[in-house]
Amino acid sequence: MLLAKTGVPAASDLAKVIPSEERLKKGAVAIIECFQSIPCNPCQFACPRGAIKEFADINDIPKIDFDLCDGCGTCISKCPGLAIFVVDATYGAEEALVKIPYEFLPLPAKGDRVAGLNREGKEVCEAEVVRVQSAKGLDKTPIIWLSVPKDYMMEVRHIRLKGGAVS
Amino acid sequence: MKSLRKTELAVIGGGPAGLSSAITAMRQGAEVTLIDRDPVLGGQLIKQTHMFFGSKDQFASIRGIDIPSELIKALEEGPGKVKVELGTTVIGYYDDGVILMEKDNRATTLLPQRIIVATGAAEKMLPFPGNDLPGVYGAGAVQTLMNVYGIKPGKRVLMVGAGNIGLIVSYQLLQAGVEVVAIIEAAPHIGGYLVHASKVRRAGVPIYTSCSIKEAFGRESVEGAVICRLDENWQPLPGTEKTLELDVICLAVGLSPLTELLWQAGCKHKYVPELGGYVPVRNEKMQTSIPYIYVAGDAAGVEEASSAMIEGKLAGLFAAASLGYDHDLESLAATYRKELEELRSGEAGSKIRQGLAKLIGGVSVAS
């Protein structure tokens, strides 16, 4: 498995977790990029709508019912692996909304233009920060809402602030 | 002559395993003394700024640094009282069961009826030319500098080892604003959880598998390192050397159980590489070959904090039971064993399962 050599999920891994075009057209939805059986289950208790299916075993890989998920993003900061993202393909005509967990300081501010990084840490586009959630309940895992060109909504998973700050 | 201080149960080590042992034994009714060499309780938890995996029963989704206060609260809630001795190192064990402790350069003694050794693990070292240069650190030291004392270890780091510790400490270095030049791993695959690997990859850190450090160089301290690729027999591939400029080499190449006290006490040990090297032989009650000495956590075999906490509960439960405090013993033991089995049941737990089969299978221990 390529992922186990590089840490970067392959297209074949992602194909298993990315919702259908049809579902994406209906609005925001969570994507769980967790591909390895590990003993971890907080996500199944995180969803207020019960969209993350109950595990039979703590080592199960999480599964989302995309019909129940409304992309609220409550699960993002509960995942110890920071592997959950939300994508809203209906956000704008040209732009999609991507919500990512971001545990670095300084935090970006609303309106900042930042570098959108892919899963290898390479800059693929510019993104605009739409909102920064950093309430106490998120327990130091702030959530950054990014407006990105639609072509990159399945690519951008991290950001780099402009002006020299580290990743 | 001063009379010898006594306690029913001495728990040595106040990390996740020791704290859980002390709480469980206290709740069962035992009189407990908890001893730790550090000035605060929590062991390695006090450096773990990441959220824990596992299930709710083992504080999943809570940051490691926030777990000690939860455990200390349980310790203080009672119903019993636990005597806590901080800044106190247990330095010896006598044949008559007396333990020798050092605090503020003074030696004291304690006679416990039962002992739980929860002393954790020590980092392994890697032999390579230049590994004695200042700037070569163990990952635990880097974590202590950054997360306990707020000190950056340097500017540019090479992380050696892509197990969970190497991946997590790399991420914490990035959070501290330190550049991680690369993570190298001698094995052909990343050993840690892949979600941790993905976190550092998308932040721009490359991970090279089948890759090792050949040497470190520098005049006064580390100025660089030569890395090279390994073939399928883990031998360096000539001509693949690459020189990196950096000032820190961080070693995260595994842990081995810290069991000097158990060796001194004469407990049987067995070499089980899957559990980190020499591990004390023990039964399913966490009882060693010396019936009144129990063991829990990494000292019983290197694993991780969630399982250490459950092992601690089991050791505390059975040590208390052997003192006569056996309230609900069977049902509590069954609950904890089930939690442990669940944690170890998946693909990620296969190495631990193999190690435990070697350790526990076929050795009889008096009960």
Side-chain angles (χ1 to χ4, degrees), chain B residues 187-346:
Chain B
H189 294 110
I190 293 165
Y193 292 163
L194 298 176
V195 283
H196 284 314
S198 296
K199 265 162 56 178
V200 292
R201 280 307 311 265
R202 63 181 184 252
V205 179
I207 300 175
Y208 303 119
T209 49
S210 297
C211 180
S212 187
I213 182 166
K214 208 174 165 198
E215 64 176 63
F217 61 86
R219 279 152 61 96
E220 304 276 315
S221 61
V222 171
E223 291 168 22
V226 179
I227 61 172
C228 67
R229 295 191 50 194
L230 301 179
D231 64 19
E232 57 269 35
N233 301 314
W234 302 56
Q235 295 306 307
L237 275 167
T240 62
E241 292 85 357
K242 204 169 146 183
T243 301
L244 303 173
E245 267 183 49
L246 37 88
D247 59 350
V248 174
I249 295 167
C250 182
L251 302 178
V253 291
L255 302 166
S256 42
L258 205 54
T259 60
E260 288 94 334
L261 281 170
L262 296 171
W263 281 104
Q264 200 196 4
C267 294
K268 279 185 203 155
H269 283 69
K270 196 169 177 178
Y271 189 75
V272 185
E274 293 88 343
L275 300 177
Y278 276 102
V279 283
V281 171
R282 47 98 177 165
N283 62 16
E284 291 195 325
K285 300 174 180 176
M286 307 306 296
Q287 188 180 31
T288 68
S289 60
I290 296 181
Y292 52 87
I293 302 181
Y294 294 72
V295 66
D298 276 359
V302 172
E303 206 171 343
E304 41 73 56
S306 306
S307 51
M309 286 187 266
I310 311 174
E311 283 190 349
K313 289 179 189 175
L314 278 170
L317 189 68
F318 283 108
S322 72
L323 291 161
Y325 307 107
D326 57 0
H327 178 69
D328 260 352
L329 175 64
E330 291 309 323
S331 76
L332 286 170
T335 305
Y336 301 152
R337 283 192 178 128
K338 185 161 174 281
E339 286 175 17
L340 260 184
E341 264 169 38
E342 281 173 4
L343 280 184
R344 292 167 174 163
S345 66

Side-chain angles (χ1 to χ4, degrees), chain B residues 17 43 53-54 66 73 77 83-84 92 103 107 109 112 120 131 133-134 198 207 211 227 266 270 295 313 323 325 334:
Chain B
F53 289 69
D66 295 325
K73 202 169 87 191
E77 263 169 14
K83 187 173 188 330
V84 179
K103 185 185 187 179
T109 51
N131 74 355
L133 281 169
S198 296
I207 300 175
C211 180
I227 61 172
K270 196 169 177 178
V295 66
K313 289 179 189 175
L323 291 161
Y325 307 107

Side-chain angles (χ1 to χ4, degrees), chain A residues 9 32 54 82 123:
Chain A
I32 306 187
E54 200 181 321
L82 304 191
E123 180 172 350

Side-chain angles (χ1 to χ4, degrees), chain B residues 57-273:
Chain B
D57 298 323
Q58 296 99 41
F59 305 100
S61 202
I62 308 275
R63 293 180 189 280
I65 45 170
D66 295 325
I67 296 175
S69 59
E70 300 280 327
L71 293 173
I72 291 165
K73 202 169 87 191
L75 200 68
E76 288 168 351
E77 263 169 14
K81 260 187 110 82
V82 174
K83 187 173 188 330
V84 179
E85 307 239 13
L86 293 175
T88 305
T89 310
V90 177
I91 52 173
Y93 172 89
Y94 292 103
D95 282 345
D96 56 4
V98 170
I99 56 174
L100 182 66
M101 308 184 291
E102 180 274 331
K103 185 185 187 179
D104 300 330
N105 286 321
R106 284 191 52 197
T108 54
T109 51
L110 181 68
L111 176 61
Q113 291 177 44
R114 302 286 183 276
I115 297 173
I116 296 175
V117 173
T119 42
E123 285 179 281
K124 288 182 181 166
M125 187 61 189
L126 198 63
F128 57 87
N131 74 355
D132 57 343
L133 281 169
V136 179
Y137 291 86
V142 165
Q143 259 194 330
T144 304
L145 279 175
M146 289 193 303
N147 301 352
V148 180
Y149 298 106
I151 295 167
K152 286 187 193 181
K155 293 189 179 76
R156 283 167 58 83
V157 179
L158 171 68
M159 181 64 68
V160 182
N164 273 331
I165 295 179
L167 297 172
I168 288 170
V169 175
S170 294
Y171 183 71
Q172 293 172 357
L173 281 158
L174 296 175
Q175 288 180 305
V178 178
E179 188 183 349
V180 180
V181 179
I183 301 173
I184 60 172
E185 167 60 55
H189 294 110
I190 293 165
Y193 292 163
L194 298 176
V195 283
H196 284 314
S198 296
K199 265 162 56 178
V200 292
R201 280 307 311 265
R202 63 181 184 252
V205 179
I207 300 175
Y208 303 119
T209 49
S210 297
C211 180
S212 187
I213 182 166
K214 208 174 165 198
E215 64 176 63
F217 61 86
R219 279 152 61 96
E220 304 276 315
S221 61
V222 171
E223 291 168 22
V226 179
I227 61 172
C228 67
R229 295 191 50 194
L230 301 179
D231 64 19
E232 57 269 35
N233 301 314
W234 302 56
Q235 295 306 307
L237 275 167
T240 62
E241 292 85 357
K242 204 169 146 183
T243 301
L244 303 173
E245 267 183 49
L246 37 88
D247 59 350
V248 174
I249 295 167
C250 182
L251 302 178
V253 291
L255 302 166
S256 42
L258 205 54
T259 60
E260 288 94 334
L261 281 170
L262 296 171
W263 281 104
Q264 200 196 4
C267 294
K268 279 185 203 155
H269 283 69
K270 196 169 177 178
Y271 189 75
V272 185

